Amino acid sequence: EPQWYDQTLPEQALEAALELGAQYDYLVVDEAQDLGVEQYLDVLDALLVGGLERAPVFITGDFDHQVIYRQHAAGDEVPDARATVLRRIPGLVTLQLRSNVRTTPEVARFVADLIGEPTLYSEHRRSDDDQVSVERHTFTTMDEQLRLLADAVERILSEPFTVRELVILSPYARERSAAGQALANPATDARLTSRLGTSIDDATRIRWGSIHEFKGLEAPAVILTDVDLSKGYHRDLLYVGASRATDRLVVLEALQSKP
């Protein structure tokens, strides 16, 4: 629950850090947008020789588009993570990543268009190799989505990608996700259910879980399910989920009714 992450955990961590004392000379932080709150920075400050103000620090993060754990919890009251970090770590030299070296250009363009920044990257180091990298399909019912999902799995595994290279992600928790619904329904297409693993960590079959669970990770092929852009926070989650794919991306999106 939010209270555990926002109060109980950092309070106990700070108590342990103060007992341990400042023992570390250098700090490296990835996904720093998730730590840009006072109580977490207090813990890191207590562990560093010279504290955050004087110790060498190297941090990376996406403070504009990947603050997905807090921004919907308290509306407009959520503090600005970037401003908090810059205030607590004065003298930081900031650099912006402009060269895309990880994904195919088509995946990168799709991700950039999602956030309305088509010029997000100034260059792409990879090529598309004349292969379709991104597909987008709409559905109206769960049964239709499960059929599209089974078709997408079949198509991707024939391209070829292995089951270990494919991940299915959803904005929802396991029980509400399309993959979870598939496993709970014995009538679901066996092309899908026979290939699904037990969780996001089961690498013997197709991994599946929530976008939150897979944040910070990547896979050659990603299928995003249960996307509903009528819900504002789904657009943010879609950006995070889509940027997990390095080579192949399929998005299954609820069809929006016309006004």
Side-chain angles (χ1 to χ4, degrees):
E1 296 298 324
Q3 183 175 357
W4 191 86
Y5 283 104
D6 295 342
Q7 297 180 29
T8 305
L9 174 63
E11 286 174 0
Q12 293 185 8
L14 180 59
E15 183 179 338
L18 292 173
E19 182 178 343
L20 182 64
Q23 296 190 0
Y24 298 97
D25 300 311
Y26 199 100
L27 175 67
V28 179
V29 180
D30 193 15
E31 304 290 342
Q33 72 278 354
D34 298 324
L35 298 179
V37 289
E38 297 287 356
Q39 52 267 47
Y40 287 176
L41 294 174
D42 287 342
V43 176
L44 298 177
D45 184 71
L47 290 170
L48 281 170
V49 176
L52 289 171
E53 291 193 10
R54 291 182 292 278
V57 174
F58 181 87
I59 68 174
T60 63
D62 185 345
F63 292 88
D64 293 317
H65 309 296
Q66 296 200 46
V67 187
I68 63 173
Y69 291 112
R70 298 176 178 276
Q71 62 181 356
H72 305 293
D76 295 333
E77 300 302 319
V78 179
D80 185 333
R82 178 193 281 108
T84 302
V85 168
L86 291 175
R87 178 172 50 78
R88 292 293 301 271
I89 312 176
L92 275 180
V93 176
T94 59
L95 303 173
Q96 185 177 14
L97 176 64
R98 300 289 294 172
S99 179
N100 171 40
V101 301
R102 189 166 64 92
T103 69
T104 65
E106 187 179 353
V107 170
R109 286 191 293 268
F110 177 81
V111 169
D113 287 342
L114 276 176
I115 57 176
E117 297 184 20
T119 58
L120 181 63
Y121 299 109
S122 59
E123 66 170 329
H124 301 276
R125 299 287 184 87
R126 296 184 57 189
S127 66
D128 280 322
D129 297 325
D130 297 323
Q131 299 293 319
V132 174
S133 298
V134 179
E135 296 179 30
R136 200 168 183 174
H137 304 280
T138 58
F139 62 89
T140 55
T141 66
M142 178 58 73
D143 287 343
E144 185 179 3
Q145 178 176 211
L146 292 179
R147 179 182 59 78
L148 290 170
L149 178 55
D151 290 344
V153 167
E154 189 81 2
R155 197 160 53 250
I156 288 174
L157 293 182
S158 69
E159 291 188 359
F161 292 93
T162 68
V163 292
R164 295 187 179 188
E165 295 174 317
L166 173 58
V167 175
I168 300 173
L169 301 177
S170 169
Y172 299 125
R174 294 168 56 82
E175 296 77 11
R176 293 183 61 193
S177 70
Q181 293 287 318
L183 289 177
N185 184 358
T188 304
D189 195 325
R191 293 178 302 162
L192 175 61
T193 55
S194 64
R195 288 164 166 157
L196 289 176
T198 58
S199 69
I200 204 71
D201 301 315
D202 184 359
T204 62
R205 295 185 180 183
I206 296 174
R207 293 172 289 169
W208 62 279
S210 70
I211 293 172
H212 289 84
E213 288 181 280
F214 208 64
K215 186 171 180 292
L217 303 176
E218 65 180 42
V222 172
I223 301 176
L224 296 179
T225 65
D226 309 298
V227 175
D228 185 352
L229 293 182
S230 68
K231 301 176 180 178
Y233 71 96
H234 272 220
R235 187 171 295 278
D236 298 325
L237 291 176
L238 179 57
Y239 169 83
V240 175
S243 59
R244 303 306 95 205
T246 61
D247 295 83
R248 190 75 164 82
L249 174 65
V250 176
V251 180
L252 304 183
E253 178 183 341
L255 183 65
Q256 303 301 308
S257 59
K258 296 182 179 180

